[in-house]
Amino acid sequence: MSDLIDLLQWPAMAASLLAAWLVGSRSAQRRMLGFRVFLGSNVLWVVWGWQDDAWALIVLNCCLAVTNIRGILKNESG
């Protein structure tokens, strides 16, 4: 199981890169998708960090998740 969780770092990285690309879009729909992909990558990083005892990474991704939720809310209202 540990080996499978260890592999999560690669989709987490890919999702983070894709999300950053989408968030930089002029299209509101793409930006919203980017924030949602970022939230998915936050979950993947937390799962990976948990099994590796990477507490700073877990805290960072929890904080980033809050900023991504803020991004979603700001994009919905404006």
Side-chain angles (χ1 to χ4, degrees):
M1 184 61 142
S2 177
D3 289 339
L4 288 175
I5 292 176
D6 199 39
L7 292 175
L8 285 180
Q9 64 185 313
W10 295 106
M13 184 222 31
S16 297
L17 287 173
L18 174 62
W21 181 270
L22 291 168
V23 166
S25 176
R26 293 179 193 239
S27 163
Q29 281 184 312
R30 285 188 182 149
R31 280 194 309 272
M32 289 293 282
L33 178 60
F35 286 120
R36 288 185 169 94
V37 173
F38 260 136
L39 285 173
S41 76
N42 296 140
V43 170
L44 292 173
W45 281 121
V46 167
V47 170
W48 183 82
W50 191 274
Q51 74 97 46
D52 212 43
D53 293 331
W55 304 113
L57 181 70
I58 293 168
V59 171
L60 170 65
N61 276 278
C62 290
C63 294
L64 290 173
V66 171
T67 65
N68 291 322
I69 292 167
R70 179 179 178 263
I72 290 171
L73 295 174
K74 288 184 77 72
N75 272 279
E76 284 178 346
S77 65

